[in-house]
Amino acid sequence: MLIAIPEVFNKEQTRQLRAELDKAEWVDGKVTAGHQSAMTKRNSQIPESSPVARAVGERILQALGSHPLFRSAALPLRVFPPLFNRYAGGQDFGTHVDNAIRTHAASGHRIRTDLSCTLFFSEPDEYDGGELIVEDTYGSQSIKLPAGHMVLYPSTSLHSVKPVTRGARVSSFFWLQSMVRSDEQRRLLFDLDNSIQMLEPGSAAAVKLTGIYHNLLRQWVEM
């Protein structure tokens, strides 16, 4: 399931966070790439140990923690601390699949990467190219969202970033381990949750379907 998460941050919040990112130290993006990915990855990143990365990353996690669409779609169990990248001057990232396991350098904690996240900090008209291309069940999806918006997609997907030929594409990227490993099961739960929200609160149908939702969670959740 590929889904856009709108307005993780509003325009003013996004501008403030982008200003912090622009002042940070940037290094070669290959520092977090696996062996195969490193051969096709050309971008810059803020080091994981950067105080700026930690501070902005914490703001992202706080915002997502109270975002109902994100919580419904992702059912997050563990979230890898957000990282930050920048593409400019023709930089790109060739087709690849994210590593199945990510280890946080500072804590040593590991997560299984069920879902990948990209949160945009550049407006689409600030740069040419830079589209995130995700090979979805229904074909190739091209994603270029407004600043402050995020896309969530299965980490099993082949994906790439097109060359940025003008301006700079700044974004946060990270992964999460869901309470529900299966993308198909998450999709069913998400659709069911959305259907419940459209019913009259407290109605017999809403109560019945809510019970079904939670009983499915009991069967499928891994803690």
Side-chain angles (χ1 to χ4, degrees):
M1 178 172 63
L2 186 155
I3 184 167
I5 309 293
E7 294 186 338
V8 176
F9 297 110
N10 62 35
K11 295 298 184 185
E12 181 57 31
Q13 291 170 328
T14 304
R15 282 193 292 269
Q16 292 173 357
L17 294 174
R18 170 66 185 277
E20 293 299 313
L21 297 175
D22 286 344
K23 292 186 293 186
E25 173 194 6
W26 293 81
V27 299
D28 192 320
K30 288 183 171 62
V31 294
T32 58
H35 175 69
Q36 294 291 333
S37 296
M39 294 187 288
T40 61
K41 183 178 186 180
R42 298 191 303 147
N43 65 10
S44 300
Q45 287 183 203
I46 300 177
E48 290 184 49
S49 59
S50 165
V52 173
R54 291 177 179 174
V56 178
E58 185 60 32
R59 289 283 305 277
I60 292 171
L61 296 181
Q62 289 172 357
L64 290 176
S66 60
H67 200 298
L69 180 59
F70 170 77
R71 289 188 282 109
S72 177
L75 296 171
L77 177 62
R78 301 182 184 91
V79 183
F80 195 89
L83 302 173
F84 301 89
N85 59 20
R86 181 174 63 196
Y87 293 83
Q91 290 178 323
D92 63 351
F93 199 162
T95 303
H96 63 286
V97 172
D98 290 334
N99 292 350
I101 305 295
R102 301 294 308 196
T103 303
H104 185 232
S107 66
H109 292 161
R110 296 179 179 178
I111 72 165
R112 182 186 68 234
T113 57
D114 296 325
L115 291 164
S116 298
C117 310
T118 298
L119 172 60
F120 292 82
F121 281 99
S122 299
E123 295 291 357
D125 61 2
E126 290 183 47
Y127 61 100
D128 292 336
E131 295 85 357
L132 172 64
I133 307 297
V134 178
E135 300 299 329
D136 189 51
T137 306
Y138 302 104
S140 180
Q141 307 293 317
S142 178
I143 301 124
K144 190 172 183 177
L145 299 179
H149 294 226
M150 189 177 86
V151 64
L152 183 72
Y153 60 96
S155 299
T156 52
S157 304
L158 286 168
H159 57 284
S160 61
V161 176
K162 292 291 187 183
V164 172
T165 57
R166 177 187 65 86
R169 174 196 190 267
V170 177
S171 63
S172 176
F173 67 102
F174 52 100
W175 306 269
L176 66 88
Q177 181 173 333
S178 177
M179 291 186 289
V180 176
R181 181 194 299 246
S182 164
D183 184 55
E184 290 80 7
Q185 291 171 346
R186 284 196 308 273
R187 184 190 298 269
L188 287 172
L189 289 166
F190 179 66
D191 289 343
L192 180 56
D193 189 24
N194 281 340
S195 298
I196 292 169
Q197 303 309 315
M198 291 187 288
L199 298 174
E200 181 182 352
S203 67
V207 172
K208 180 71 172 178
L209 288 176
T210 299
I212 292 172
Y213 177 88
H214 285 285
N215 286 332
L216 287 173
L217 275 179
R218 288 187 181 93
Q219 292 188 47
W220 293 341
V221 159
E222 301 175 10
M223 300 294 287

